[in-house]
């Protein structure tokens, strides 16, 4: 079960890396769009996160349900916004920077609201 948890965690982190990387690669571009790394990154991160919660719930680990609820809500908003704008040739700057901000907030919640890092 521990190996499955670590594989899912790795996929979750790689998904967010693709999402952030895909967004940051376009910061200087005049026309911003939803690229395949952005689309695939949020999809991978979201599904891996859901499966990760399932594995954690099945095990003996304590699960922070508030953290999971916040991450789920932000992740779902990101997923819906990305998927709704995937086929558009261009997205507004406000949406682009909103996606970038939500992604960073998601990572901040994951890092700073973690029982693993408390003493």
């Amino acid at each position: 079960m521990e190996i499955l948890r670590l594989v899912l965690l790795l996929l979750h982190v790689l998904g967010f890396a693709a999402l952030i990387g895909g967004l940051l690669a376009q910061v200087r571009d005049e026309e911003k769009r939803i690229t395949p790394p952005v689309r695939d990154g949020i999809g991978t991160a979201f599904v891996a996160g859901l499966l990760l919660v399932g594995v954690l719930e099945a095990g003996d680990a304590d699960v922070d349900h508030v953290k999971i609820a916040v991450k789920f809500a932000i992740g779902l908003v990101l997923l819906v916004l990305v998927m709704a704008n995937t086929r558009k040739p261009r997205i507004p700057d406000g949406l682009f920077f909103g996606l970038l901000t939500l992604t960073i907030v998601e990572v901040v919640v994951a890092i700073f609201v973690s029982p693993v890092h408390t003493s």
Side-chain angles (χ1 to χ4, degrees):
M1 201 65 137
E2 181 65 12
I3 291 174
L4 178 59
R5 184 188 71 80
L6 291 173
V7 168
L8 289 172
L9 182 60
L10 175 65
L11 288 172
H12 189 62
V13 169
L14 289 176
F16 273 106
L19 175 61
I20 290 173
L23 290 170
L24 289 177
Q26 300 182 65
V27 168
R28 291 188 177 174
D29 295 348
E30 286 191 26
E31 289 194 5
K32 293 158 177 58
R33 61 190 182 94
I34 302 298
T35 59
V38 172
R39 181 198 63 220
D40 297 344
I42 187 58
T44 301
F46 190 79
V47 171
L50 287 178
L51 294 173
L52 186 58
V53 170
V55 168
L56 291 174
E57 286 285 351
D60 292 335
D62 290 332
V63 180
D64 186 350
H65 294 286
V66 174
K67 173 184 173 179
I68 291 171
V70 170
K71 284 183 57 64
F72 177 79
I74 295 170
L76 186 60
V77 168
L78 280 167
L79 182 66
V80 168
L81 288 173
V82 166
M83 296 313 285
N85 291 286
T86 296
R87 294 180 186 241
K88 294 182 180 175
R90 183 182 186 284
I91 60 171
D93 287 346
L95 175 60
F96 174 80
F97 288 109
L99 291 173
L100 187 57
T101 301
L102 283 174
T103 303
I104 292 169
V105 168
E106 182 90 342
V107 172
V108 167
V109 169
I111 292 171
F112 290 108
V113 185
S114 176
V116 175
H117 303 296
T118 58
S119 52

